[in-house]
Amino acid sequence: MTSPTTAGADRLLVGAARHSGGWTGLVAATAVADALAAVLLPLALARAVDAAPPGGPSAASALWPCVALVLLSATAEVLSELATGCSAARATAWLRHALVRHVLAVGPALRVPPGDVAGRAVGGAAEAGTAPSAAPEAVVALLPPLGALTVLAFIDWRLAVAVAVALPAIVLLLRVFVRDITASAHRYLSVQGTIAGRLAEALAGARTIAAAGTAEREAERVLRPLPGLRAEGETMWTVQGGVAARGLLTLLLLQVAAVGAAGAELMAGRVTAGELVATVQYAGLAAGFGPVLTHVLRLGRARAGARRAAEILEQPAPADGDAPVPEGRGTLEFRGVSAGGVLHGLDLTVPGGLAVAVVGRSGAGKSLLAALAGRLADPDRGEVLLDGAPLPRLARTELRRHVGYAFARPTLFGETVLDAIAFGPCRPPESWLRESARTACADDFVRRLPQGYATPLADAPMSGGELQRMGLARAFAHAGRVLVLDDATSSLDTVTEVQVTGAVLDRFGDRTRLIIAHRAGTAARADLVVWLDGGRVRGRGTHAELWRDPAYRAVFGVAEPAGAAP
């Protein structure tokens, strides 16, 4: 029974063929032309050989078909190389577009290491992209053996029978090869993905590795799967070499049998000398499955690459609606929300236009709640609503315009510093981008950069605090109806945090602000505090009201008796 991933890989290869343009058709046409030339050339040579004795056809006229067939074969091979490259390029481009779009659509829910994803999108897609050209070439590669049998039957049916007896063994050999090489290629690419994933992790944590002095140990961890990669590579070559060796032996035996049969027929006067020469060549064509083997190998690797891509594409992306965000002030509602094994039946209403601080111990579900608020994640059960509209019903562009985010560890995109602040669903005017940077206390250090806001990101090294201020500037530049700050001020010094928090509370006072807070001072300045504990709302009220509870004070590491809120 075909597994879902295997079926998905086959559908992916069909789609790649459709998007390879007319180049795949040209590959098939040139392959057919080359195959016809290969089948007809021995017959033409036979006529030329038979023209040599006195009384035979003109030798010159017999040579012209040979020359024409050689030219046809050469032209077909040149065009085939061009068409194969163009077909693979277009198919690979389509596969990569599909894979990258889906990866970004799935977003944070994707549970595949980034390095492995990159390997599938680069190497795996390139392997799968060869399928549209390899498939017709593999099919057409069967024409010379079939054509050889046909011509041999035309020359003398006994010769065709002598050659045909070995073909079932060759077909069985190819079937086993396809099965073994596809499985081995998939394992090989999987080990490659493991190494790529570990390397990406190591590069992301390069500073930590350097500080810990564990570069050698980390290199050993990254490269530990190499013996497995070598083993799988050796398996592929062993399979290919074993099939080739058995095929070569079959070819030699077949040619010996064909020469013996043709010699007997020549002595009996049933074939000519030229037909004897043609018989030897046709025996080689009939058993010459080397081209078939090459294309089948390409197909096996292509199928393995497509299967790894299908494993990604079968991970469901959240389905978006097409409804606009209804009028309102940005009220968020969490109704019976359970998610990630962290939140359990959570019911919460975040009033529109208020600054709401979410506090709780590590693992209480604060960041998951923030992700659910703007549909960076979907709940396992329950629903999240914005101004009465369930988030899955809203158009993605609408939701992104109305819900903005700032994170603890932001990643900057774009060519320049200004581009990084502008990165979002639309590009605000430059004056507003600079004002957003000032509000986030980022303007001063940006102006000190070599080219100010025009400085390329690669030439603008930033500390953790500066990076957070850039992330805040980007969120402020695109602040919609709801602004979510997921621990977005944790790397700021106290003075800067007070200034930024003041801007969030005052400058954006008409928006709903959901603030994941770890400091008592931030919670104290919010309009409302939501206290999470064990994936549920344990308390809700102002900071001063909740401060009376010793368990609430313990969230901030305060163990003394109740006192005034800071």
Side-chain angles (χ1 to χ4, degrees), residues 88-124:
R90 288 178 63 93
T92 301
W94 176 79
L95 285 165
R96 285 175 177 160
H97 275 86
L99 197 55
V100 170
R101 285 196 182 99
H102 189 77
V103 165
L104 296 178
V106 175
L110 186 66
R111 294 294 180 262
V112 179
D116 194 2
V117 173
R120 295 174 195 236
V122 178

Side-chain angles (χ1 to χ4, degrees), residues 275-289:
E275 289 172 338
L276 172 64
V277 173
T279 298
V280 175
Q281 293 180 320
Y282 281 128
L285 280 180
F289 59 94

Side-chain angles (χ1 to χ4, degrees), residues 80-179:
S80 177
E81 287 295 324
L82 172 65
T84 297
C86 292
S87 171
R90 288 178 63 93
T92 301
W94 176 79
L95 285 165
R96 285 175 177 160
H97 275 86
L99 197 55
V100 170
R101 285 196 182 99
H102 189 77
V103 165
L104 296 178
V106 175
L110 186 66
R111 294 294 180 262
V112 179
D116 194 2
V117 173
R120 295 174 195 236
V122 178
E127 294 281 6
T130 63
S133 58
E137 286 180 329
V139 173
V140 174
L142 296 173
L143 291 181
L146 296 176
L149 284 176
T150 303
V151 177
L152 284 176
F154 174 75
I155 295 174
D156 191 304
W157 64 269
R158 300 172 186 83
L159 299 177
V161 171
V163 172
V165 291
L167 292 184
I170 295 173
V171 172
L172 180 61
L173 203 62
L174 286 175
R175 185 173 182 272
V176 173
F177 175 71
V178 171
R179 181 196 64 200

Side-chain angles (χ1 to χ4, degrees), residues 170-511:
I170 295 173
V171 172
L172 180 61
L173 203 62
L174 286 175
R175 185 173 182 272
V176 173
F177 175 71
V178 171
R179 181 196 64 200
D180 292 347
I181 204 67
T182 299
S184 183
H186 183 266
R187 291 193 299 269
Y188 184 88
L189 293 175
S190 296
V191 178
Q192 272 190 334
T194 300
I195 295 175
R198 292 184 180 183
L199 180 59
E201 293 170 2
L203 292 175
R207 288 196 301 175
T208 302
I209 294 170
T214 58
E216 289 296 326
R217 191 190 313 164
E218 190 62 21
E220 192 277 332
R221 184 187 75 88
V222 171
L223 299 176
R224 192 175 299 147
L226 269 181
L229 190 69
R230 176 182 176 181
E232 293 302 337
E234 289 178 346
T235 299
M236 283 197 295
W237 287 114
T238 300
V239 171
Q240 186 176 359
V243 172
R246 290 191 292 271
L248 180 60
L249 179 61
T250 304
L251 172 62
L252 292 175
L253 293 175
L254 192 61
Q255 286 184 320
V256 169
V259 170
E265 294 297 293
L266 178 64
M267 293 181 64
R270 287 190 286 266
V271 299
T272 66
E275 289 172 338
L276 172 64
V277 173
T279 298
V280 175
Q281 293 180 320
Y282 281 128
L285 280 180
F289 59 94
V292 180
L293 193 67
T294 300
H295 300 312
V296 167
L297 174 62
R298 290 172 59 201
L299 275 176
R301 293 179 63 89
R303 205 158 180 241
R307 184 175 178 184
R308 283 174 52 76
E311 289 170 356
I312 297 285
L313 294 172
E314 286 176 0
Q315 297 194 27
D320 297 310
D322 55 6
V325 176
E327 294 295 327
R329 297 192 61 195
T331 299
L332 286 169
E333 296 178 73
F334 300 82
R335 297 179 180 175
V337 168
S338 297
V342 178
L343 299 178
H344 308 285
L346 183 139
D347 290 301
L348 173 66
T349 298
V350 178
L354 294 186
V356 179
V358 180
V359 304
R361 293 183 181 275
S362 178
K366 302 183 297 296
S367 290
L368 182 53
L369 182 73
L372 293 169
R375 213 186 169 209
L376 298 185
D378 281 331
D380 301 325
R381 290 190 301 276
E383 61 178 353
V384 183
L385 300 91
L386 173 60
D387 287 321
L391 297 189
R393 296 183 187 175
L394 303 177
R396 175 175 297 198
T397 53
E398 282 281 295
L399 186 59
R400 296 279 74 86
R401 282 198 310 110
H402 286 282
V403 181
Y405 276 90
F407 302 103
R409 292 181 293 276
T411 302
L412 303 183
F413 296 93
E415 295 294 327
T416 66
V417 172
L418 191 68
D419 291 338
I421 299 174
F423 188 77
C426 60
R427 188 179 181 95
E430 184 172 339
S431 59
W432 178 242
L433 297 175
R434 291 174 180 264
E435 178 62 26
S436 299
R438 284 190 288 271
T439 304
C441 300
D443 182 70
D444 288 342
F445 81 79
V446 170
R447 287 181 179 276
R448 291 195 297 269
L449 293 172
Q451 300 177 52
Y453 285 90
T455 303
L457 279 178
D459 299 332
M462 300 181 193
S463 66
E466 290 170 340
L467 197 61
Q468 276 199 341
R469 281 181 272 173
M470 286 290 293
L472 286 162
R474 180 175 61 196
F476 294 163
H478 299 279
R481 198 177 300 182
V482 178
L483 185 59
V484 182
L485 306 183
D486 185 2
D487 199 18
T489 60
S490 58
S491 297
L492 304 183
D493 60 82
T494 304
V495 174
T496 304
E497 185 193 12
V498 169
Q499 293 174 338
V500 171
T501 303
V504 171
L505 297 175
D506 299 333
R507 188 177 185 86
F508 299 100
D510 59 335
R511 294 166 172 83

